[in-house]
Amino acid sequence: MIDLHCHLDLYPDPHAIVAECVRRRLYVLSVTTVPSAFDGTAALVPAHGRIRTALGLHPELAAARARELPLFERLLPRTHYIGEVGLDGSREHRATLDTQRGVFQDVLRLCARAGGKVLSLHSRGATSLILDVLGAEPNAGTPVLHWYVGTPKQVARAAEMGCWFSVGPAMLASERGRAAALAMPKERVLPESDGPFGLVQGRAANPWDAWTVTAMLAALWCEQESEVASRMVENFKAVVEEG
Ligand code: MN
């Protein structure tokens, strides 16, 4: 089982969640929201296991924590995975969008200079803008758009640019989310929980809930669940290899 976007450090009891992930032999991309959280979050998980820690600077915090960019640069050689980074143009965060964009461009430039990373990307309210900014830095690495609810046209554009998509049960609870997932090339889709922010049945999603998306996508795509599940495994191998 796989969860390509999860905030392990933000669960009330992260050690219990990590222990359960290890017991279930889950592959997890553990994302962070600020560079100063990287060390502590990386220390939660066993070294060389199935859980990888990503270095992040979340767009909702980018303006307040732009001063952590030098730390981001120092930590960059420690991981091949970057996230959560990106842009948030929703009403609540629109005011800082210019600053967010500057920070995100710096992040992409540093990733390109480092030879490319795998990036887990936030794009709420910026589904078109994020593609513009990504397009200007094509050597940043392998972009994985997380919870991407672009229009079918934007999804097609993202796929053409080489983007991957991580999709979770919470995203598929909305009509827009399902429409986006329907437009995604099936060989570019990966599971995510976005726990503890992503919700399933009204509670915080656990990393192992990410896999329930295979049944939901099977229904959406009119396929067998086993077919979707085995493709997800192939997709995961491919994105790790490409990255
Ligand atoms: Mn997230």
Side-chain angles (χ1 to χ4, degrees):
M1 291 202 298
I2 301 148
D3 180 359
L4 215 81
H5 183 108
C6 182
H7 299 263
L8 289 179
D9 62 332
L10 300 181
Y11 284 94
D13 187 354
H15 292 284
I17 298 287
V18 169
E20 188 61 19
C21 289
V22 170
R23 196 185 70 77
R24 293 176 185 240
R25 305 169 68 85
L26 215 67
Y27 290 90
V28 179
L29 184 61
S30 164
V31 298
T32 55
T33 52
V34 286
S36 50
F38 180 81
D39 275 326
T41 306
L44 290 172
V45 305
H48 314 296
R50 292 180 171 84
I51 307 176
R52 295 295 148 88
T53 307
L55 174 62
L57 186 42
H58 197 289
E60 291 176 14
L61 299 168
R65 300 296 191 94
R67 64 176 184 279
E68 289 196 33
L69 263 173
L71 178 60
F72 183 97
E73 185 171 6
R74 279 204 298 285
L75 291 169
L76 196 60
R78 298 259 309 275
T79 179
H80 191 55
Y81 297 91
I82 302 303
E84 181 166 358
V85 295
L87 297 169
D88 192 308
S90 65
R91 191 180 315 178
E92 218 182 321
H93 300 283
R94 202 176 292 159
T96 64
L97 195 53
D98 282 342
T99 313
Q100 292 178 42
R101 184 180 181 149
V103 168
F104 184 48
Q105 284 168 329
D106 285 345
V107 162
L108 294 176
R109 190 160 44 235
L110 291 169
C111 291
R113 202 189 294 161
K117 305 276 182 179
V118 175
L119 301 111
S120 187
L121 301 168
H122 176 108
S123 57
R124 182 170 56 203
T127 47
S128 179
L129 181 61
I130 197 154
L131 302 183
D132 298 339
V133 178
L134 275 175
E137 196 66 75
N139 299 319
T142 304
V144 184
L145 292 165
H146 123 81
W147 202 320
Y148 187 72
V149 283
T151 62
K153 218 171 156 182
Q154 289 169 343
V155 168
R157 180 181 167 212
E160 237 167 75
M161 291 173 61
C163 291
W164 293 72
F165 305 91
S166 59
V167 171
M171 170 179 161
L172 294 184
S174 84
E175 188 55 52
R176 273 174 70 220
R178 286 192 295 274
L182 206 50
M184 290 171 185
K186 299 180 179 77
E187 67 285 358
R188 295 276 189 85
V189 176
L190 295 150
E192 72 165 29
S193 68
D194 200 18
F197 301 113
L199 301 180
V200 287
Q201 286 145 3
R203 59 158 175 91
N206 288 311
W208 46 92
D209 290 317
W211 201 247
T212 61
V213 84
T214 57
M216 300 172 86
L217 287 173
L220 191 68
W221 290 341
C222 302
E223 290 187 324
Q224 294 297 318
E225 189 182 342
S226 59
E227 197 178 344
V228 176
S230 56
R231 193 192 296 110
M232 289 283 191
V233 172
E234 292 309 311
N235 291 354
F236 177 66
K237 287 183 192 162
V239 81
V240 168
E241 253 169 51
E242 182 186 314

